Amino acid sequence: MDGVRDRIFSCCLSTCPCLREQNPDKQPDAQTPNSRSPGALIITNDHTQEPQAPAPENPQNREEFLALFDYSARTDEDLSFNAGDRMLRLLKDDQDWWYVRALTGISANRTGYIPANYVAQVESLDAEPWYFADTKRLDAEKLLLSHGNQHGAFLIRHCESQAGELSLSVLDSGRVKHYKIRRTENGRCFVSKSRDFLTLKDLVQHYSRNQDGLCVRLGLPCKKSEAPQTYGLSYNTVDQWEIPRSSIRLLQKLGTGQFGEVYEGLWNNTTKVAVKTLKPGSMDAQDFLREAQIMKKLRHPKLIQLYAVCTVGEPVYIITEIMSHGSLQDYLQKDQGAQLGVGDQVEMGAQVAAGMAYLELQNYIHRDLAARNVLVSENNICKVADFGLARVFMKKSEGGAEDEEENVYEAKEGTKFPVKWTAPEALHDNKFSIKSDVWSFGILLYEIMTFGQMPYPTLSNFQVVQKLRTGFRMSCPPGCPKVMYEIMMDCWKDSPSDRPTFETLQWKLEDYFELDISSYDDANRY
Ligand code: AMP
């Protein structure tokens, strides 16, 4: 797979270009020193600089792409387009924003930038409307059962249980059925041994015309969910992310947090964002900027994306993606929370675990994981927010064997931390690690299962500290399945090393409802 869809639906790992500091291929063209190649890594705070003309078109680099989603231009330099429009990529680089010429649609014949994760190469598998490469089984079910999909709606996705295999998910009378797509020795694909095909497209065409043993004849491809988040607000804020304060208009207050007020804002009069304003003097601007540099590189569909900052003047603004339902804690306590079933609750936990598993992989610690720091948007989409911010209030440990370990931090003297969410070793010895995040995740699961109830509801902070020393743990909340409670208890093991990893927590929660595999005509449906 050529990676475009990968970038839509899945995380960017450390090997992904978006996390690389610098790519030699992305340096400005030596022969055109004044040109700003869209691939160049430009770190500058010069907002007055006019965008310069990109390097001349190179016919050899031309590639044609198809838009998968609609996009409205946010600046004078990018192009609006609709799903189905075609465009020619004019410069070859692997940045998040590509310089293209639109061939069809509202921007036909114009050149400008487009978000790379909104397009796929023409005639590639990624461009097929039914190809949902990295959609997980549970997500496939959710997608097919929503968005007004009709009987026969389908998609093809990667199979979670077997790397390299594909699955066909089909909506049949309100239920989703899954078929494995297997390959013959010579690479032909099939769902039933009785008939194989050269390509997936041939397979889809066949079962769109004939039911031929399938539970239902294939109908329309599953409708796409919302367009993905772009990487950065525009091509030049990806690297040049100190933005002028004047480009942000504050619209309405969304809430007040530990660091200051949060607003819904409009960037460049085009793009809705969340603006976190930091109370003047609440943290050292240099410390914050250093941390924000790291936070900006952490990208995952289950982490709130940091878009830009305004650190010139006060208050400091942190510009992030906006989530329509606000914090998970509020969401759970309100009417929407009351409508959640156990399946939704488990799935929300799985999403948080997925975001945290990515941080774990990046050797990064959240330090303040709680329902108040998870944000929710449509369809119960959850993303982890405020990762790293707590660190700005902490310092790296000095001295001592254990302290040499890269990821252990001490709270600065006098730092307040949320006692009921904090692991014992962090409370008593100021040792924060990914395993103290796991402890907090157990508390977060408790919050989810109790619809946002305060943990240890009858105990004061002081009593909690005392009782945890004696081995005390919260009991299973009413209505919480035993398996879910066991996961919480695993997170609350005394010894940090006995607690599970986020990777394990993610798969345990994702596989929570895994159904038994049963057969259809040839043991292929599951
Ligand atoms: P915080 O400072 O992160 O604790 O945020 C305070 C409140 O602002 C939260 O409880 C949310 O209701 C709201 N909020 C913060 N960030 C966002 C965001 N990115 N999108 C929507 N609402 C937000």
Side-chain angles (χ1 to χ4, degrees), residues 259 291 298 302-304 352 355-356 359-360 363-374 383-392 394 407 432-438 440 444 502:
F259 308 109
E291 195 59 31
L298 297 168
K302 300 300 173 198
L303 294 185
I304 290 289
V352 175
M356 290 304 300
L359 289 187
E360 179 175 76
N363 290 319
Y364 199 79
I365 312 168
H366 189 296
R367 299 171 182 80
D368 194 7
L369 186 59
R372 63 184 169 276
N373 285 332
V374 171
K383 300 192 185 193
V384 178
D386 286 350
F387 41 94
L389 273 192
R391 176 172 171 174
V392 183
M394 298 181 186
N407 294 308
F432 287 82
S433 67
I434 194 71
K435 293 297 186 187
S436 55
D437 280 348
V438 170
S440 310
L444 189 152
F502 278 109

Short mmCIF file of all heavy atoms in Angstrom, two decimals, residues 259 291 298 302-304 352 355-356 359-360 363-374 383-392 394 407 432-438 440 444 502:
data_model
loop_
_atom_site.label_atom_id
_atom_site.label_comp_id
_atom_site.label_asym_id
_atom_site.label_seq_id
_atom_site.Cartn_x
_atom_site.Cartn_y
_atom_site.Cartn_z
N PHE A 259 -4.90 25.54 33.52
CA PHE A 259 -3.92 26.51 33.02
C PHE A 259 -4.53 27.83 32.59
O PHE A 259 -3.84 28.80 32.37
CB PHE A 259 -3.15 25.92 31.83
CG PHE A 259 -2.57 24.57 32.11
CD1 PHE A 259 -3.10 23.44 31.53
CD2 PHE A 259 -1.50 24.44 32.98
CE1 PHE A 259 -2.56 22.18 31.80
CE2 PHE A 259 -0.95 23.19 33.26
CZ PHE A 259 -1.50 22.07 32.66
N GLU A 291 8.74 21.92 25.33
CA GLU A 291 7.82 20.78 25.40
C GLU A 291 6.89 20.76 24.18
O GLU A 291 6.61 19.71 23.61
CB GLU A 291 6.99 20.88 26.68
CG GLU A 291 6.27 19.63 27.06
CD GLU A 291 7.21 18.45 27.26
OE1 GLU A 291 8.36 18.65 27.69
OE2 GLU A 291 6.78 17.32 26.95
N LEU A 298 4.09 14.60 18.05
CA LEU A 298 3.34 13.41 18.43
C LEU A 298 1.99 13.43 17.72
O LEU A 298 1.14 14.25 18.02
CB LEU A 298 3.14 13.38 19.95
CG LEU A 298 4.44 13.28 20.74
CD1 LEU A 298 4.19 13.55 22.23
CD2 LEU A 298 5.07 11.91 20.56
N LYS A 302 -5.76 9.33 17.91
CA LYS A 302 -6.38 9.39 19.24
C LYS A 302 -5.67 10.37 20.17
O LYS A 302 -5.81 10.30 21.39
CB LYS A 302 -6.43 7.99 19.88
CG LYS A 302 -7.22 6.99 19.07
CD LYS A 302 -8.66 7.42 18.88
CE LYS A 302 -9.40 6.50 17.93
NZ LYS A 302 -10.63 7.14 17.42
N LEU A 303 -4.88 11.25 19.60
CA LEU A 303 -4.27 12.33 20.38
C LEU A 303 -4.73 13.66 19.79
O LEU A 303 -4.79 13.80 18.56
CB LEU A 303 -2.74 12.30 20.28
CG LEU A 303 -1.98 11.12 20.87
CD1 LEU A 303 -0.48 11.37 20.76
CD2 LEU A 303 -2.35 10.89 22.33
N ILE A 304 -5.03 14.61 20.65
CA ILE A 304 -5.39 15.95 20.17
C ILE A 304 -4.17 16.57 19.50
O ILE A 304 -3.08 16.59 20.08
CB ILE A 304 -5.85 16.84 21.36
CG1 ILE A 304 -7.19 16.35 21.89
CG2 ILE A 304 -5.91 18.32 20.98
CD1 ILE A 304 -8.37 16.62 20.98
N VAL A 352 -8.77 5.57 24.19
CA VAL A 352 -7.78 6.24 25.04
C VAL A 352 -6.52 5.36 25.13
O VAL A 352 -5.39 5.86 25.02
CB VAL A 352 -8.36 6.52 26.45
CG1 VAL A 352 -7.29 7.11 27.36
CG2 VAL A 352 -9.56 7.46 26.36
N GLY A 355 -4.39 5.82 22.04
CA GLY A 355 -3.61 7.06 22.07
C GLY A 355 -2.42 6.91 23.01
O GLY A 355 -1.30 7.33 22.70
N MET A 356 -2.67 6.29 24.16
CA MET A 356 -1.61 6.13 25.16
C MET A 356 -0.55 5.12 24.70
O MET A 356 0.63 5.25 25.01
CB MET A 356 -2.20 5.70 26.51
CG MET A 356 -3.01 6.78 27.20
SD MET A 356 -2.10 8.32 27.47
CE MET A 356 -0.74 7.76 28.49
N LEU A 359 1.85 6.96 22.73
CA LEU A 359 2.79 7.72 23.59
C LEU A 359 3.83 6.78 24.19
O LEU A 359 5.02 7.11 24.27
CB LEU A 359 2.04 8.46 24.70
CG LEU A 359 1.17 9.66 24.30
CD1 LEU A 359 0.65 10.37 25.55
CD2 LEU A 359 1.94 10.66 23.45
N GLU A 360 3.36 5.62 24.61
CA GLU A 360 4.26 4.60 25.20
C GLU A 360 5.37 4.24 24.21
O GLU A 360 6.55 4.18 24.55
CB GLU A 360 3.41 3.37 25.53
CG GLU A 360 4.09 2.19 26.12
CD GLU A 360 3.04 1.12 26.47
OE1 GLU A 360 2.55 0.44 25.54
OE2 GLU A 360 2.70 0.99 27.65
N ASN A 363 8.05 6.69 23.96
CA ASN A 363 8.71 6.96 25.25
C ASN A 363 8.29 8.28 25.84
O ASN A 363 9.11 9.07 26.33
CB ASN A 363 10.24 6.96 25.10
CG ASN A 363 10.75 5.59 24.83
OD1 ASN A 363 10.28 4.63 25.44
ND2 ASN A 363 11.67 5.47 23.90
N TYR A 364 7.03 8.55 25.77
CA TYR A 364 6.52 9.82 26.27
C TYR A 364 5.53 9.53 27.40
O TYR A 364 4.83 8.53 27.37
CB TYR A 364 5.80 10.54 25.11
CG TYR A 364 5.63 12.02 25.33
CD1 TYR A 364 6.69 12.90 25.12
CD2 TYR A 364 4.42 12.53 25.76
CE1 TYR A 364 6.53 14.25 25.32
CE2 TYR A 364 4.25 13.89 25.96
CZ TYR A 364 5.31 14.74 25.74
OH TYR A 364 5.16 16.09 25.94
N ILE A 365 5.48 10.41 28.39
CA ILE A 365 4.58 10.18 29.53
C ILE A 365 3.54 11.29 29.56
O ILE A 365 3.87 12.45 29.30
CB ILE A 365 5.37 10.21 30.87
CG1 ILE A 365 6.62 9.32 30.79
CG2 ILE A 365 4.49 9.75 32.02
CD1 ILE A 365 7.56 9.55 31.98
N HIS A 366 2.31 10.94 29.88
CA HIS A 366 1.27 11.96 29.93
C HIS A 366 1.35 12.75 31.23
O HIS A 366 1.39 13.94 31.25
CB HIS A 366 -0.12 11.31 29.78
CG HIS A 366 -1.22 12.30 29.60
ND1 HIS A 366 -1.54 13.22 30.58
CD2 HIS A 366 -2.05 12.55 28.57
CE1 HIS A 366 -2.53 13.99 30.15
NE2 HIS A 366 -2.86 13.60 28.92
N ARG A 367 1.32 12.04 32.32
CA ARG A 367 1.43 12.57 33.69
C ARG A 367 0.14 13.13 34.27
O ARG A 367 0.10 13.52 35.44
CB ARG A 367 2.50 13.67 33.80
CG ARG A 367 3.87 13.20 33.46
CD ARG A 367 4.82 14.37 33.38
NE ARG A 367 6.14 13.88 32.99
CZ ARG A 367 6.48 13.60 31.74
NH1 ARG A 367 5.59 13.77 30.77
NH2 ARG A 367 7.67 13.15 31.47
N ASP A 368 -0.91 13.25 33.49
CA ASP A 368 -2.17 13.74 34.07
C ASP A 368 -3.35 13.12 33.31
O ASP A 368 -4.25 13.83 32.86
CB ASP A 368 -2.21 15.28 33.99
CG ASP A 368 -3.32 15.86 34.87
OD1 ASP A 368 -3.95 15.09 35.63
OD2 ASP A 368 -3.57 17.07 34.78
N LEU A 369 -3.30 11.81 33.18
CA LEU A 369 -4.36 11.13 32.43
C LEU A 369 -5.60 11.01 33.31
O LEU A 369 -5.54 10.50 34.43
CB LEU A 369 -3.87 9.74 32.00
CG LEU A 369 -4.81 8.95 31.09
CD1 LEU A 369 -5.11 9.71 29.80
CD2 LEU A 369 -4.21 7.59 30.77
N ALA A 370 -6.71 11.51 32.82
CA ALA A 370 -7.98 11.50 33.56
C ALA A 370 -9.08 11.85 32.56
O ALA A 370 -8.78 12.40 31.49
CB ALA A 370 -7.95 12.54 34.68
N ALA A 371 -10.33 11.56 32.91
CA ALA A 371 -11.43 11.84 31.97
C ALA A 371 -11.50 13.33 31.63
O ALA A 371 -11.90 13.70 30.54
CB ALA A 371 -12.75 11.36 32.56
N ARG A 372 -11.06 14.20 32.55
CA ARG A 372 -11.11 15.64 32.25
C ARG A 372 -10.11 16.02 31.17
O ARG A 372 -10.24 17.07 30.55
CB ARG A 372 -10.84 16.46 33.53
CG ARG A 372 -9.48 16.25 34.11
CD ARG A 372 -9.21 16.97 35.43
NE ARG A 372 -7.96 16.46 36.00
CZ ARG A 372 -7.86 15.36 36.74
NH1 ARG A 372 -8.93 14.67 37.06
NH2 ARG A 372 -6.68 14.94 37.16
N ASN A 373 -9.12 15.16 30.93
CA ASN A 373 -8.12 15.44 29.90
C ASN A 373 -8.27 14.57 28.66
O ASN A 373 -7.33 14.38 27.90
CB ASN A 373 -6.71 15.28 30.49
CG ASN A 373 -6.35 16.45 31.39
OD1 ASN A 373 -6.86 17.56 31.18
ND2 ASN A 373 -5.52 16.22 32.39
N VAL A 374 -9.47 14.04 28.50
CA VAL A 374 -9.81 13.35 27.25
C VAL A 374 -10.95 14.15 26.64
O VAL A 374 -11.85 14.60 27.36
CB VAL A 374 -10.25 11.89 27.54
CG1 VAL A 374 -10.81 11.22 26.29
CG2 VAL A 374 -9.08 11.08 28.10
N LYS A 383 -10.22 11.51 22.19
CA LYS A 383 -8.80 11.77 21.97
C LYS A 383 -8.17 12.27 23.27
O LYS A 383 -8.80 13.04 24.00
CB LYS A 383 -8.61 12.82 20.88
CG LYS A 383 -9.19 12.39 19.53
CD LYS A 383 -8.74 13.30 18.43
CE LYS A 383 -9.45 12.92 17.14
NZ LYS A 383 -8.85 13.56 15.96
N VAL A 384 -6.94 11.86 23.48
CA VAL A 384 -6.23 12.25 24.68
C VAL A 384 -5.68 13.67 24.49
O VAL A 384 -5.08 13.97 23.45
CB VAL A 384 -5.07 11.26 24.96
CG1 VAL A 384 -4.29 11.69 26.20
CG2 VAL A 384 -5.62 9.85 25.12
N ALA A 385 -5.91 14.52 25.46
CA ALA A 385 -5.45 15.91 25.38
C ALA A 385 -4.43 16.20 26.48
O ALA A 385 -4.26 15.41 27.41
CB ALA A 385 -6.64 16.86 25.53
N ASP A 386 -3.78 17.32 26.36
CA ASP A 386 -2.90 17.86 27.42
C ASP A 386 -1.74 16.96 27.78
O ASP A 386 -1.18 17.09 28.87
CB ASP A 386 -3.71 18.16 28.69
CG ASP A 386 -4.57 19.40 28.51
OD1 ASP A 386 -4.37 20.10 27.51
OD2 ASP A 386 -5.42 19.66 29.37
N PHE A 387 -1.36 16.06 26.86
CA PHE A 387 -0.20 15.22 27.16
C PHE A 387 1.02 16.13 27.20
O PHE A 387 1.17 17.02 26.37
CB PHE A 387 -0.02 14.11 26.12
CG PHE A 387 -0.26 14.55 24.70
CD1 PHE A 387 0.79 14.95 23.91
CD2 PHE A 387 -1.53 14.58 24.20
CE1 PHE A 387 0.57 15.38 22.61
CE2 PHE A 387 -1.77 15.01 22.90
CZ PHE A 387 -0.72 15.43 22.11
N GLY A 388 1.82 15.93 28.19
CA GLY A 388 3.06 16.71 28.26
C GLY A 388 2.93 18.02 29.00
O GLY A 388 3.92 18.53 29.51
N LEU A 389 1.74 18.56 29.11
CA LEU A 389 1.65 19.87 29.75
C LEU A 389 2.07 19.82 31.21
O LEU A 389 2.74 20.71 31.70
CB LEU A 389 0.23 20.43 29.63
CG LEU A 389 -0.06 21.21 28.35
CD1 LEU A 389 -1.37 21.94 28.48
CD2 LEU A 389 1.06 22.19 28.03
N ALA A 390 1.68 18.73 31.88
CA ALA A 390 2.02 18.61 33.29
C ALA A 390 3.53 18.60 33.49
O ALA A 390 4.04 19.03 34.51
CB ALA A 390 1.40 17.36 33.89
N ARG A 391 4.24 18.11 32.47
CA ARG A 391 5.70 18.00 32.59
C ARG A 391 6.35 19.38 32.73
O ARG A 391 7.40 19.52 33.34
CB ARG A 391 6.23 17.32 31.33
CG ARG A 391 7.72 17.22 31.25
CD ARG A 391 8.03 16.37 30.07
NE ARG A 391 9.43 16.33 29.74
CZ ARG A 391 9.90 15.53 28.79
NH1 ARG A 391 9.09 14.75 28.14
NH2 ARG A 391 11.16 15.53 28.52
N VAL A 392 5.69 20.37 32.16
CA VAL A 392 6.27 21.71 32.24
C VAL A 392 6.31 22.17 33.69
O VAL A 392 7.11 23.01 34.06
CB VAL A 392 5.46 22.68 31.33
CG1 VAL A 392 6.08 24.06 31.34
CG2 VAL A 392 5.40 22.15 29.92
N MET A 394 7.06 20.10 36.01
CA MET A 394 7.92 19.16 36.72
C MET A 394 9.35 19.29 36.22
O MET A 394 9.61 19.89 35.20
CB MET A 394 7.45 17.73 36.46
CG MET A 394 6.07 17.47 36.96
SD MET A 394 5.62 15.78 36.65
CE MET A 394 3.91 15.81 37.14
N ASN A 407 12.77 8.03 31.64
CA ASN A 407 11.41 8.54 31.70
C ASN A 407 10.83 8.65 33.10
O ASN A 407 9.65 8.41 33.31
CB ASN A 407 10.51 7.67 30.84
CG ASN A 407 10.91 7.84 29.40
OD1 ASN A 407 11.00 8.96 28.92
ND2 ASN A 407 11.21 6.73 28.76
N PHE A 432 7.31 9.45 38.24
CA PHE A 432 6.32 9.35 37.18
C PHE A 432 6.91 8.55 36.02
O PHE A 432 8.06 8.77 35.64
CB PHE A 432 5.92 10.74 36.67
CG PHE A 432 5.06 11.49 37.64
CD1 PHE A 432 5.63 12.17 38.71
CD2 PHE A 432 3.68 11.48 37.51
CE1 PHE A 432 4.83 12.84 39.63
CE2 PHE A 432 2.87 12.15 38.42
CZ PHE A 432 3.45 12.83 39.48
N SER A 433 6.14 7.66 35.46
CA SER A 433 6.60 6.86 34.32
C SER A 433 5.35 6.48 33.53
O SER A 433 4.23 6.77 33.96
CB SER A 433 7.30 5.59 34.80
OG SER A 433 6.33 4.75 35.43
N ILE A 434 5.55 5.77 32.43
CA ILE A 434 4.39 5.32 31.65
C ILE A 434 3.52 4.39 32.52
O ILE A 434 2.31 4.31 32.36
CB ILE A 434 4.82 4.66 30.32
CG1 ILE A 434 3.64 4.51 29.35
CG2 ILE A 434 5.51 3.32 30.54
CD1 ILE A 434 3.11 5.76 28.75
N LYS A 435 4.16 3.72 33.49
CA LYS A 435 3.39 2.82 34.36
C LYS A 435 2.55 3.60 35.37
O LYS A 435 1.53 3.09 35.85
CB LYS A 435 4.32 1.85 35.09
CG LYS A 435 5.02 0.86 34.17
CD LYS A 435 4.04 -0.06 33.47
CE LYS A 435 4.74 -1.13 32.67
NZ LYS A 435 3.82 -1.92 31.86
N SER A 436 2.97 4.82 35.72
CA SER A 436 2.07 5.62 36.57
C SER A 436 0.90 6.12 35.72
O SER A 436 -0.21 6.29 36.21
CB SER A 436 2.81 6.74 37.29
OG SER A 436 3.50 7.58 36.41
N ASP A 437 1.15 6.32 34.41
CA ASP A 437 0.04 6.63 33.50
C ASP A 437 -0.95 5.46 33.44
O ASP A 437 -2.16 5.66 33.34
CB ASP A 437 0.55 6.91 32.08
CG ASP A 437 1.10 8.33 31.91
OD1 ASP A 437 0.90 9.16 32.81
OD2 ASP A 437 1.74 8.59 30.87
N VAL A 438 -0.41 4.23 33.49
CA VAL A 438 -1.30 3.05 33.44
C VAL A 438 -2.21 3.04 34.67
O VAL A 438 -3.41 2.76 34.58
CB VAL A 438 -0.49 1.73 33.32
CG1 VAL A 438 -1.39 0.51 33.53
CG2 VAL A 438 0.21 1.64 31.97
N SER A 440 -3.24 5.65 36.30
CA SER A 440 -4.25 6.69 36.06
C SER A 440 -5.30 6.20 35.05
O SER A 440 -6.47 6.53 35.14
CB SER A 440 -3.61 7.95 35.49
OG SER A 440 -2.52 8.34 36.28
N LEU A 444 -9.28 6.20 35.13
CA LEU A 444 -10.09 6.73 34.03
C LEU A 444 -11.16 5.72 33.60
O LEU A 444 -12.31 6.08 33.32
CB LEU A 444 -9.16 7.09 32.87
CG LEU A 444 -9.75 7.84 31.69
CD1 LEU A 444 -8.67 8.69 31.02
CD2 LEU A 444 -10.36 6.95 30.64
N PHE A 502 0.28 -0.25 27.76
CA PHE A 502 -0.88 0.30 27.05
C PHE A 502 -1.18 -0.52 25.80
O PHE A 502 -2.33 -0.62 25.38
CB PHE A 502 -0.67 1.77 26.71
CG PHE A 502 -0.99 2.68 27.87
CD1 PHE A 502 0.02 3.34 28.54
CD2 PHE A 502 -2.30 2.85 28.29
CE1 PHE A 502 -0.26 4.17 29.62
CE2 PHE A 502 -2.60 3.67 29.37
CZ PHE A 502 -1.58 4.33 30.04
#
